[in-house]
Amino acid sequence: MTIKELAQELEMSTTTVSRVLTGQGKKYRISEKTAQRVREVASKVDFAPNQIARNLRLQKTNTIGLIIPNISNPFFANLARTVEEGLRKRGKMVLLCDTKDDTSLEKEAIELLLARKVDGLLIAPIGEKWEHLKNNVDIPLVLIDRYFENNDFAYVTTDNYQGAYDATSFLIAKGHQNIACIQGLVNTSPNKNRIRGFIQALDDHDISQQDRFILGTDYSAENGYESTRSLLQKATRPTAIFALNNQIALGAMKAINEARLNIPEDISLISFDEQYYFELLSPPLSAVKQPMEGIGKTAVATLFDLLEGKKVTSSKLIPSLIERASVRNISKS
């Protein structure tokens, strides 16, 4: 049965029936008695509105595209969950794409989602190139976690500079000066800002250039493992390692364990990115905790503001430092 046929059955206008079935009865002052009759008859004849036709008429699909770099990374998996929950509460569904940190796959994902007529996009972009976003996306767009300098894309992220600065200052307060930093993708905004915070903390505490190491290529456990093996082979190995994400930290732990060294007795370790299992490790791992729930909720709220034609501002949320047993105080040694 079509809505027109249902309206004829009820001897009402299609507009009245449509407003009741879409929950807009009170808005248009349709009496509860009338609304109840519409619902009863619709239920009796097993009427279901044609959502596709309605979406085409209203020029919206109630779907949002979410593009992330790596779903196997717990950070992005948790981020996707938070975003999905926030959008579902607002009546939107998510179409999720994993780009595997590949710009060509990111471009394909954008084309696919635009072809699906999503109402908006949330994207954690790959690197420094953003022209394909500027030139091809003509719907509301919010960058999440990663962003670009010197453009007008709205974004929601962690204050990565502050988080790295606090973690490095924490290591220094524990007596560490020979500190290594294992970085992720060099050309991403989180990595650049974390490196900037790391270096600034060392500079502010007058730690010389020769007592700092920065190495690494991506956000993988393999990078953490290989980089740590390289650090442990140095004549003067670092007393502490700052891993710039959770996967790097796990790779570093593996390399340290294989070398039959102990954390934190032989070398201290701290991670940027808190994960629920960090407190279950032996020893429990110190970490910078990103405000995951806040990032997801703020990104969803920002996107909805854009969908409603409102002006928006970008957001940097403050992370927190969690101190656990993986960092040794060597100032007392």
Side-chain angles (χ1 to χ4, degrees), residues 205-221:
H205 292 87
D206 297 321
I207 294 177
S208 65
Q209 292 282 344
Q210 66 184 22
D211 289 328
R212 60 182 76 174
F213 303 100
I214 300 174
L215 67 168
T217 55
D218 59 47
Y219 288 114
S220 68

Side-chain angles (χ1 to χ4, degrees), residues 284-295:
L285 190 60
S286 299
V288 176
K289 182 178 181 179
Q290 301 197 60
M292 186 65 66
E293 296 292 327
I295 293 173

